[in-house]
Amino acid sequence: MRKDTIKIAFGSVPKGCGTFTFYRNLRLALKAYGIDLQCVTVGKREAGLVEDAYVDSGCVLLSPNSSYVKEQSQTFTKWCQQEAFDIVMAINSEAILSALPHLPKHIRVLSRCANGFDEGYRVTLSGKERLMGIMTLTPRLTNDLVNKYGVSSDTIHLCPNGIDPTPFATITDCKRHGPEGSPIQLGFMGRLEHKQKGVLHLPKIVQELKHLGVPFHLRIAGKGIHRPKLEKQLQPYIQSGEVELIGTITRQEVPKFLKSADVFLFTSHFEGISNALLESIMAGCVPVTFLIKDLTDFVLDHGRTGFIAPMEDCSAFAGYVAQLANDRTLLQQMSESTLAAAHERFAVPIAAARHAELFGKVMEMPLPDFEPLPWSQFEIDPVYRKRWTGYLPEFMKKRAKSILANRS
């Protein structure tokens, strides 16, 4: 018999990150389906990452003064039993992932794959003996799990993120067809680091735009380890007023920032999915991106809702920006198509209905044939255990494992 309310514990930390944004965007919408999604933060390390401005009524903090993973995992498990939770989604919480083998049998376990790199996939598969489903954000993540990690496609459910259109409602009528020859307004929003976000491509793109004779104004929002290098490389354009580095912006400032941009520059090398990219199309900005197979070409329809250049081809990337700068009618047409597609595919109500359907199906599925392990067999989840024990001699690894497993 289906319960009136499905209670889901979602491992995350209230702060400015994609995982918490997913929770924040869907929590209220899921209530209409009788689903109570709660954000659970566990342990001293995670407690230190909490940003008070992001905390809401669905956020729970457990064991804020504990540094011992076994104690944290036990507290989480006891809390799930006391509060009658139905589903646990550990995400990347060390304590919750480590608790999965010990949860009562009636608690169902789901995983959500949001990061397209090896550690992200291994975290997704933690506790796989009792996983009842894996949610992926893009076909790229699905294909990697099936082809590289041997996961059955039957257990995977494509569930893209949802973006709340309400904060962007005031800018849906924003006209983006400024006078021909006027500077095109460009925006970048994200972490200023190169390995994933590709920010050091921005100076090359700017150089190409100058070579093509395109008037532009680029605003860069964010912080990160490569800001000094990026700022140095962009110095001539900063001095000329063509480029601004404005630092971190709050979530309330995002719609205003995107309102000022005609074109959103997305230079990432890899992603799970990008909330910044989804927010840009919800604002009607026209994205220009590099090709991340089954991700950017999943979100965008090349030539209609954005342009997709070959990976790291800054010349082609700048060429698409120039095309929009030189044809403001095309820019306006693509902006309108982009906005319409965002509402049809990635608005919160669409995502909430998709997630609610999946949660309902999971509650009706038979439980896996799995017996919870006793706490005497507790071990830290292997993904986290290897992070620090890899630097220790073998005898110290065994000693540390013994201490942590038996500490209560």
Side-chain angles (χ1 to χ4, degrees):
M1 181 179 295
R2 185 162 181 172
K3 293 182 60 177
D4 292 335
T5 300
I6 301 173
K7 298 186 70 172
I8 303 174
F10 181 82
S12 188
V13 176
K15 63 176 184 173
C17 65
T19 302
F20 185 77
T21 298
F22 163 84
Y23 154 83
R24 187 189 68 225
N25 286 345
L26 284 186
R27 172 170 165 74
L28 293 179
L30 286 174
K31 278 187 171 295
Y33 293 91
I35 297 170
D36 182 9
L37 183 69
Q38 296 190 28
C39 170
V40 189
T41 304
V42 188
K44 187 174 182 178
R45 184 187 66 82
E46 289 189 1
L49 300 175
V50 171
E51 298 177 23
D52 291 341
Y54 287 87
V55 175
D56 64 20
S57 60
C59 295
V60 178
L61 177 59
L62 302 176
S63 297
N65 299 313
S66 173
S67 299
Y68 301 109
V69 179
K70 183 177 181 180
E71 179 182 357
Q72 297 167 18
S73 298
Q74 289 175 318
T75 299
F76 171 77
T77 301
K78 183 178 180 180
W79 175 78
C80 285
Q81 292 175 285
Q82 291 176 338
E83 299 297 324
F85 273 82
D86 303 292
I87 297 174
V88 165
M89 300 178 66
I91 312 302
N92 58 358
S93 168
E94 180 180 12
I96 301 178
L97 287 167
S98 300
L100 294 183
H102 308 278
L103 291 176
K105 188 172 183 176
H106 70 273
I107 296 180
R108 291 161 164 81
V109 178
L110 282 175
S111 184
R112 178 174 179 268
C113 184
N115 295 298
F117 51 86
D118 179 64
E119 184 173 305
Y121 292 125
R122 289 189 290 114
V123 166
T124 296
L125 297 175
S126 290
K128 60 183 179 181
E129 296 82 6
R130 62 183 305 176
L131 281 181
M132 299 185 68
I134 299 172
M135 300 158 59
T136 59
L137 310 190
T138 65
R140 170 67 175 266
L141 301 175
T142 298
N143 294 337
D144 281 354
L145 285 170
V146 172
N147 298 324
K148 297 180 181 179
Y149 294 85
V151 178
S152 170
S153 59
D154 294 338
T155 66
I156 299 177
H157 308 271
L158 181 62
C159 295
N161 283 356
I163 300 297
D164 182 4
T166 306
F168 301 93
T170 58
I171 62 173
T172 54
D173 294 328
C174 181
K175 300 300 181 183
R176 302 182 184 276
H177 53 241
E180 301 290 343
S182 64
I184 191 165
Q185 302 299 312
L186 311 177
F188 175 93
M189 184 172 65
R191 191 170 67 255
L192 302 186
E193 65 85 38
H194 188 68
K195 183 178 180 180
Q196 179 182 359
K197 301 297 183 180
V199 297
L200 297 182
H201 294 305
L202 291 173
K204 299 175 185 177
I205 292 167
V206 165
Q207 291 171 10
E208 291 288 341
L209 289 174
K210 293 293 288 184
H211 178 72
L212 293 170
V214 177
F216 66 89
H217 181 236
L218 168 60
R219 299 175 77 223
I220 300 172
K223 64 180 181 179
I225 60 171
H226 287 133
R227 172 168 177 148
K229 189 171 185 179
L230 179 65
E231 192 168 8
K232 181 178 180 180
Q233 294 183 10
L234 288 172
Q235 195 57 225
Y237 311 105
I238 294 172
Q239 291 178 348
S240 69
E242 293 167 296
V243 174
E244 290 182 76
L245 275 72
I246 64 173
T248 303
I249 60 176
T250 67
R251 59 176 176 166
Q252 291 83 7
E253 293 172 320
V254 168
K256 182 178 179 181
F257 174 83
L258 293 172
K259 180 179 180 179
S260 70
D262 299 317
V263 177
F264 186 75
L265 309 185
F266 186 74
T267 56
S268 289
H269 296 134
F270 62 91
E271 295 278 354
I273 199 168
S274 168
N275 283 318
L277 179 59
L278 297 184
E279 287 170 337
S280 74
I281 64 175
M282 193 62 73
C285 292
V286 180
V288 177
T289 79
F290 290 129
L291 175 62
I292 305 175
K293 183 65 176 171
D294 294 325
L295 193 162
T296 51
D297 56 348
F298 166 70
V299 174
L300 304 175
D301 180 1
H302 178 70
R304 190 178 74 88
T305 62
F307 284 117
I308 304 173
M311 179 57 70
E312 300 190 356
D313 188 339
C314 295
S315 178
F317 193 108
Y320 287 128
V321 176
Q323 186 175 342
L324 293 166
N326 295 328
D327 189 342
R328 301 304 171 94
T329 300
L330 173 65
L331 173 64
Q332 181 63 25
Q333 290 172 345
M334 291 185 69
S335 173
E336 293 169 1
S337 296
T338 297
L339 182 61
H343 279 261
E344 291 169 5
R345 299 181 62 206
F346 301 110
V348 160
I350 304 297
R354 185 183 296 116
H355 284 80
E357 181 181 10
L358 172 59
F359 295 143
K361 287 181 178 178
V362 168
M363 289 301 296
E364 294 171 357
M365 293 169 60
L367 291 165
D369 184 17
F370 177 85
E371 290 300 325
L373 297 179
W375 288 104
S376 60
Q377 296 182 32
F378 176 81
E379 292 185 344
I380 294 175
D381 183 86
V383 175
Y384 288 85
R385 192 165 64 241
K386 290 177 181 177
R387 283 181 175 179
W388 61 274
T389 58
Y391 297 96
L392 299 177
E394 195 61 33
F395 78 94
M396 291 184 67
K397 291 181 186 179
K398 293 180 180 179
R399 177 61 177 161
K401 180 179 177 180
S402 175
I403 292 172
L404 289 171
N406 293 293
R407 186 80 179 249
S408 60

